[in-house]
Amino acid sequence: MTTPDHQSPAPRPPASTATSLVYRSPLGLVAGVLLLALIGWLGIDALIAGHGRTPWFALAGLILLVPLVTAFTLRPAVFSGEDRLRVRNPFRSVSLPWGEIASVRSGYTNEVVTDSGAKYQLWAVPVSMRDRKKAARRQSGAGRPGRSGGFGMFGGAGAAAADHDGPARAESDRIVADLRTTLDRRGTAEAAQGEVSARWAYEVIAPAIAGAVLLLILLATG
């Protein structure tokens, strides 16, 4: 009597290697957390210890300010996937297949331009002129004798690092360069075609409008 051989398990399909990079503003996140903490502290204190109409004004202020602060600091993000670019701005989210993007432009602001001419600003990738000036100074000083990255006695390691990292650029410019590289690589891919879709962030807009209406009512009836 023979026992049946154990069948080997069916081969699993290879895991998808598609990755999605997320770009956000660290300064925006820090500022948002600090502002929300301050607003929450002042608002809750007014709700608990306030007298007369003060708690109502505090409630209206919280309903109005918390969504707005969240929208402009914590919410903005850019998701760079293999098939599409998702842009999450304060009041709107936009999904753009790479095949529909004409260019990613950088000037005083960073923005995506579609084939139809529509423009969408990248709130999560703000332009810092100060960082650009610092990068320009690093770049101009890299080739000076006697400086780190130059040709002086201690410039060898710095020069090697500069060659490896490429030209000095501001962080926002490096992000834009990465997005352009992905656009060049995936712009003609079959899976990266489709239509641009946009969605309003009603979860932010509705509470803010409600808080503003309540505040106006309180002011009008005061």
Side-chain angles (χ1 to χ4, degrees):
M1 181 175 179
T2 60
T3 58
D5 295 336
H6 293 288
Q7 294 183 354
S8 59
R12 296 180 180 179
S16 175
T17 58
T19 58
S20 178
L21 299 178
V22 183
Y23 301 102
R24 308 184 77 168
S25 171
L27 291 179
L29 295 176
V30 172
V33 171
L34 294 177
L35 284 174
L36 288 176
L38 178 61
I39 293 171
W41 175 48
L42 295 176
I44 294 175
D45 180 70
L47 282 173
I48 296 174
H51 301 283
R53 294 161 57 89
T54 299
W56 287 101
F57 277 103
L59 179 61
L62 287 173
I63 298 175
L64 172 64
L65 292 179
V66 169
L68 291 180
V69 172
T70 302
F72 283 97
T73 58
L74 305 183
R75 176 180 163 80
V78 174
F79 303 87
S80 176
E82 284 295 297
D83 297 334
R84 62 187 60 244
L85 179 71
R86 289 198 302 119
V87 180
R88 194 170 69 190
N89 285 338
F91 301 116
R92 189 165 60 165
S93 297
V94 185
S95 179
L96 305 107
W98 290 111
E100 294 296 318
I101 298 177
S103 64
V104 181
R105 300 195 307 196
S106 179
Y108 291 105
T109 60
N110 295 316
E111 59 185 14
V112 176
V113 183
T114 65
D115 290 335
S116 62
K119 302 176 184 178
Y120 301 99
Q121 186 176 346
L122 305 180
W123 279 79
V125 189
V127 172
S128 173
M129 302 306 295
R130 182 179 180 182
D131 287 347
R132 282 183 174 176
K133 291 179 181 179
K134 287 183 179 180
R137 287 197 297 268
R138 290 197 302 269
Q139 182 67 19
S140 62
R144 295 180 184 177
R147 290 180 176 266
S148 176
F151 303 97
M153 182 181 300
F154 304 100
D163 291 340
H164 176 73
D165 297 336
R169 286 180 294 186
E171 180 64 21
S172 62
D173 293 335
R174 284 198 292 268
I175 293 174
V176 169
D178 291 342
L179 296 179
R180 288 171 177 167
T181 300
T182 306
L183 175 60
D184 293 339
R185 180 172 58 88
R186 297 291 298 170
T188 57
E190 182 179 355
Q193 310 303 314
E195 296 183 355
V196 177
S197 61
R199 171 187 172 275
W200 289 102
Y202 294 108
E203 66 275 12
V204 173
I205 299 173
I209 292 177
V213 171
L214 179 58
L215 186 60
L216 290 176
I217 292 175
L218 291 172
L219 292 174
T221 59

